[in-house]
Amino acid sequence: MPPARKSALSSGSSSVQDYVKVIYAFTEWQDKPITSSQLAVRLGVANSSVSEMVRKLVDLQLVDHRPYSAIELTSAGRRLALTMVRRHRVLETFLVQELGYAWDEVHDEAELLEHTVSDTFINRMAAKLGDPQRDPHGDPIPSADGTVHVPHAVQLEELDGGHTGRITRISDADADLLRFFSSEQIRLDDRVEVVGRRPFGGALVVRFGPSGSARELDLGDQAAAALWVHSDPHPGCLLAS
Amino acid sequence: MPPARKSALSSGSSSVQDYVKVIYAFTEWQDKPITSSQLAVRLGVANSSVSEMVRKLVDLQLVDHRPYSAIELTSAGRRLALTMVRRHRVLETFLVQELGYAWDEVHDEAELLEHTVSDTFINRMAAKLGDPQRDPHGDPIPSADGTVHVPHAVQLEELDGGHTGRITRISDADADLLRFFSSEQIRLDDRVEVVGRRPFGGALVVRFGPSGSARELDLGDQAAAALWVHSDPHPGCLLAS
DNA sequence: GGCAAAATTTAGGCATGCCGAAATATTGGG
DNA sequence: CCCAATATTTCGGCATGCCTAAATTTTGCC
Ligand SMILES: [Mn+2]
Ligand SMILES: [Mn+2]
Ligand SMILES: [Mn+2]
Ligand SMILES: [Mn+2]
């Protein structure tokens, strides 16, 4: 009898769920697939642990992997990942909107709850929240049937002086950074204008808020990379596009 | 160096939490302490698993236990148990009141979530619900500081004919039974009157509902044991008390 | 009081997921 | 093209929590 590959009918252990979710998230806003050691860093485990788990994920047919190369989700893996991402983001939205959490407090709680709630729970909660399209950090919430629309956005860091746009996403990877943005009153959907760069690789100078009462701010690399904007069409680019 | 007994500073693993909670629950409505095999049945694990875990609980100073005798919580164990019971019951209340679950659907979901939510989560959720005193089944919800008031109540089964009272608690141990009560429109706080017993150890005959529109019903032993009532003072008992 | 039945504990094992150290494969600079 | 630095995998082990089967202790009945 052949070894009868386990099918991933059920949703896997919480570890499996986290691995798949992180593999997915890595490619959500750019397209290079994740490597073993990057995965290890993001999960806070040893490289050897990743190697072992990846073997299991291959066995569960959730990822494709040739030894020593990058790790990519199968369609079943992507389906599971989208389920987990939906759970995580619906929970974050609930914590902020219904329980009064600050946006830097929701991640850890959602990271655990996502493995425990039922589909019914998430779907009723989402309905109660009016089926939100994005979470408190601007990350898109996949629908129950597993479709997502990732908005067009660029990191603020990538924009040249003169560009304007609207903040579409604020990376929730660093809670301290979220608190900084909070204290500077930087929020989703705020208008921004890139003024320019301080000389010799210095900070990015950015103007925030409505054109009347705009504040100018110097942003370090970390901060500028965490802010994603939907850029307005720019005169200088009309021909290039 | 002495083995340095681990203190139960943190809240223990989910298994530890479930063991302690079941040990507590066993004595909530009566006072005999739980035995090893009863604990095994309620947790759905083998007797040997209980023996091992009890050793660990003793080590964590959550229970007292002499080999071959019953298992009792220490005060730290009771504290942890009350925390878990509060979590479980606040969650059940939320599921019914905010997410529209039926009362027979909440138990399994709460059983998992209770290990995952933070204290902040539970306390904010409880506040949102108006700090309820009891869950959908009538079980008392301990307060955040660990105090409970278990109402006076007797199993319907224990009452003789002629007694009247109000339903105070409906055991959530059996979901099918809850559905039966639901279909018979038996709810918390309904008035009841014990009419008598069918002959030869037969069913208990009970009258439900407000005196005008009362319905009479035959209850089997299972059902009669699952209904707890606050009994009105009864003429025949005035002298005896 | 003795002894078989019942309850409980101990022994030996399995699965999951993690680790550090050792082995192996890949890569880029010379 | 080669070889050392780097990335990845393999190996042996540990912790948790569960199981079955085999001791061992307690209990209840004659
Ligand atoms: Mn997680
Ligand atoms: Mn988020
Ligand atoms: Mn539980
Ligand atoms: Mn309940």
Side-chain angles (χ1 to χ4, degrees):
Chain A
M1 249 182 284
R5 228 167 261 309
K6 276 170 215 157
S7 84
L9 285 178
S10 74
S11 341
S13 68
S14 358
S15 289
V16 167
Q17 294 176 343
D18 275 338
Y19 274 81
V20 163
K21 193 184 52 155
V22 169
I23 295 168
Y24 168 81
F26 190 82
T27 50
E28 192 169 37
W29 298 86
Q30 57 89 46
D31 49 358
K32 276 181 279 294
I34 198 167
T35 65
S36 195
S37 48
Q38 288 169 320
L39 190 43
V41 169
R42 297 192 173 223
L43 287 164
V45 300
N47 290 320
S48 53
S49 305
V50 171
S51 280
E52 287 172 352
M53 182 58 93
V54 166
R55 190 194 343 243
K56 176 177 307 189
L57 295 177
V58 168
D59 207 60
L60 292 169
Q61 298 182 274
L62 294 170
V63 306
D64 289 327
H65 183 234
R66 308 188 334 272
Y68 295 98
S69 67
I71 300 150
E72 285 179 275
L73 294 175
T74 61
S75 65
R78 189 182 146 84
R79 218 174 311 131
L80 177 55
L82 286 171
T83 302
M84 297 313 298
V85 164
R86 172 173 164 82
R87 289 173 174 217
H88 187 99
R89 293 179 185 167
V90 167
L91 287 164
E92 285 192 345
T93 307
F94 170 78
L95 293 173
V96 167
Q97 290 189 204
E98 303 278 321
L99 294 190
Y101 278 63
W103 70 353
D104 57 289
E105 297 170 333
V106 297
H107 185 81
D108 293 348
E109 188 103 42
E111 193 59 52
L112 296 177
L113 283 170
E114 64 189 2
H115 308 293
T116 301
V117 294
S118 67
D119 287 336
T120 303
F121 183 99
I122 284 298
N123 292 337
R124 296 210 183 164
M125 181 161 275
K128 199 177 164 66
L129 293 167
D131 287 311
Q133 296 299 297
R134 57 180 197 177
D135 82 358
H137 313 101
D139 285 304
I141 299 179
S143 62
D145 61 26
T147 55
V148 224
H149 301 291
V150 180
H152 293 286
V154 231
Q155 284 164 293
L156 197 50
E157 208 183 21
E158 307 283 308
L159 290 182
D160 295 320
H163 279 90
T164 58
R166 245 183 37 263
I167 301 179
T168 291
R169 178 193 180 226
I170 303 183
S171 164
D172 63 355
D174 181 345
D176 284 330
L177 199 44
L178 286 178
R179 278 187 288 276
F180 166 73
F181 289 137
S182 227
S183 73
E184 292 294 345
Q185 317 240 50
I186 291 171
R187 266 165 295 177
L188 235 41
D189 297 326
D190 282 355
R191 291 207 59 76
V192 289
E193 178 185 345
V194 177
V195 177
R197 272 213 178 263
R198 300 282 178 213
F200 308 112
L204 195 70
V205 184
V206 180
R207 214 192 313 270
F208 286 97
S211 36
S213 65
R215 315 173 306 286
E216 221 167 73
L217 215 61
D218 277 31
L219 293 181
D221 288 346
Q222 310 254 344
L227 293 177
W228 294 68
V229 306
H230 178 91
S231 169
D232 298 327
H234 186 264
C237 303
L238 288 180
L239 296 172
S241 78
Chain B
M1 247 182 289
R5 231 166 259 310
K6 277 172 212 154
S7 84
L9 284 177
S10 75
S11 342
S13 68
S14 349
S15 288
V16 167
Q17 293 175 345
D18 276 338
Y19 274 80
V20 163
K21 192 183 52 154
V22 170
I23 295 168
Y24 168 81
F26 189 82
T27 50
E28 192 171 34
W29 298 86
Q30 55 90 45
D31 49 359
K32 276 181 277 293
I34 198 168
T35 65
S36 196
S37 49
Q38 287 170 320
L39 191 42
V41 169
R42 297 192 172 222
L43 287 163
V45 300
N47 290 320
S48 53
S49 305
V50 171
S51 280
E52 288 171 352
M53 182 58 93
V54 166
R55 192 195 340 252
K56 178 178 306 190
L57 295 178
V58 168
D59 207 58
L60 291 169
Q61 298 183 273
L62 294 170
V63 306
D64 289 327
H65 183 236
R66 308 188 333 272
Y68 296 98
S69 66
I71 300 150
E72 286 180 275
L73 294 175
T74 61
S75 64
R78 188 182 147 86
R79 218 174 310 131
L80 177 56
L82 285 170
T83 301
M84 296 314 299
V85 164
R86 171 173 166 81
R87 288 172 173 218
H88 187 98
R89 294 179 183 167
V90 167
L91 286 163
E92 285 192 345
T93 306
F94 170 78
L95 293 172
V96 167
Q97 290 189 204
E98 303 279 320
L99 295 189
Y101 278 64
W103 71 353
D104 57 290
E105 297 170 334
V106 297
H107 185 82
D108 293 349
E109 188 103 43
E111 194 59 51
L112 295 176
L113 284 170
E114 63 189 3
H115 308 292
T116 301
V117 295
S118 67
D119 287 335
T120 303
F121 183 99
I122 285 297
N123 292 336
R124 296 210 183 166
M125 182 160 273
K128 199 178 164 66
L129 294 167
D131 288 310
Q133 296 298 300
R134 55 180 200 180
D135 82 359
H137 315 100
D139 286 303
I141 300 179
S143 62
D145 62 26
T147 55
V148 224
H149 301 290
V150 179
H152 293 286
V154 230
Q155 283 164 293
L156 198 49
E157 208 183 20
E158 306 285 308
L159 290 183
D160 295 321
H163 283 271
T164 60
R166 245 181 39 262
I167 300 180
T168 292
R169 179 191 179 226
I170 303 183
S171 165
D172 62 355
D174 181 346
D176 283 330
L177 198 45
L178 286 178
R179 278 188 287 277
F180 165 73
F181 289 136
S182 227
S183 73
E184 292 294 345
Q185 316 239 54
I186 291 172
R187 266 165 296 178
L188 233 43
D189 297 327
D190 282 355
R191 291 208 58 79
V192 289
E193 178 186 346
V194 177
V195 177
R197 272 213 178 262
R198 300 280 177 215
F200 307 114
L204 194 70
V205 184
V206 180
R207 214 192 314 269
F208 285 96
S211 36
S213 64
R215 319 174 302 290
E216 221 168 73
L217 214 63
D218 276 30
L219 294 181
D221 288 345
Q222 310 254 343
L227 293 177
W228 294 68
V229 306
H230 178 91
S231 168
D232 298 325
H234 186 265
C237 302
L238 287 181
L239 295 173
S241 80

